Amino acid sequence: MDAISINAVNTLWFGMGANFFGRKPMGAAKLFRPDLKLSSPEMSLVPHSMPFLGGFNLALSLLSLARLVESCKRHARGEAVFTSNEDVQISATIMLCHFTQFFSNIRHLKGRAGGAPWDVKGTMLFIFITDFVCALLNFILLRKAVAFLKGSKQKKPEE
């Protein structure tokens, strides 16, 4: 996969997270805590924290969209997609966002039977796997970016 495709996937995935957590907080709360009754005091609090997650996902989606647009512009001009250390830093940040979402759910794989607040199955399993795949794709992209920048620095004539 190339940088344009991966940036498109990032934009869509984070955008879906922004929509889900930001616009559908009760649905997100039920996904995370299906054991809670709607009338319970906890369930009245959980949905209020979801827009916070939606805001983070919105910011990451817009950052990914900006990267996608810039990648398309550079590609159209025949330029390299990665041209600076800042490109690498942003890619590393996005990869880390996906990875931490995946990693934080590893402890929940045993599900509620193992003491976790939710089971990693159905929608949660889809989210778990998708974040792993996105982390992996972004890691591959990051390695390519670092290799490209190292190679381009070696090719520059010394002054």
Side-chain angles (χ1 to χ4, degrees), residues 46-133:
V46 174
H48 295 289
S49 64
M50 294 299 131
F52 179 75
L53 295 174
F56 274 112
N57 277 277
L58 178 62
L60 291 166
S61 180
L62 293 175
L63 177 63
S64 297
L65 179 62
R67 303 245 327 130
L68 174 61
V69 169
E70 185 61 29
S71 295
C72 289
K73 286 180 183 177
R74 290 177 182 175
H75 180 75
R77 293 188 301 251
E79 298 174 2
V81 174
F82 294 99
T83 58
S84 68
N85 288 334
E86 288 81 11
D87 292 330
V88 171
Q89 292 165 353
I90 292 170
S91 292
T93 300
I94 290 173
M95 185 267 310
L96 189 59
C97 290
H98 289 301
F99 181 75
T100 58
Q101 292 304 307
F102 162 77
F103 188 75
S104 66
N105 276 304
I106 288 176
R107 62 191 167 130
H108 299 297
L109 284 176
K110 292 182 181 176
R112 288 190 298 216
W118 60 76
D119 291 320
V120 180
K121 63 180 184 180
T123 302
M124 287 303 293
L125 182 61
F126 174 74
I127 292 169
F128 180 76
I129 291 170
T130 302
D131 274 316
F132 174 75
V133 170

Side-chain angles (χ1 to χ4, degrees), residues 14 16-34 36 42-58 101 117-118 124 127:
F14 288 130
M16 289 167 53
N19 181 57
F20 182 64
F21 294 116
R23 294 188 54 205
K24 301 173 182 178
M26 185 56 82
K30 287 181 199 174
L31 180 66
F32 284 119
R33 295 301 309 262
L36 294 179
E42 283 183 58
M43 190 51 109
S44 66
L45 295 175
V46 174
H48 295 289
S49 64
M50 294 299 131
F52 179 75
L53 295 174
F56 274 112
N57 277 277
L58 178 62
Q101 292 304 307
W118 60 76
M124 287 303 293
I127 292 169

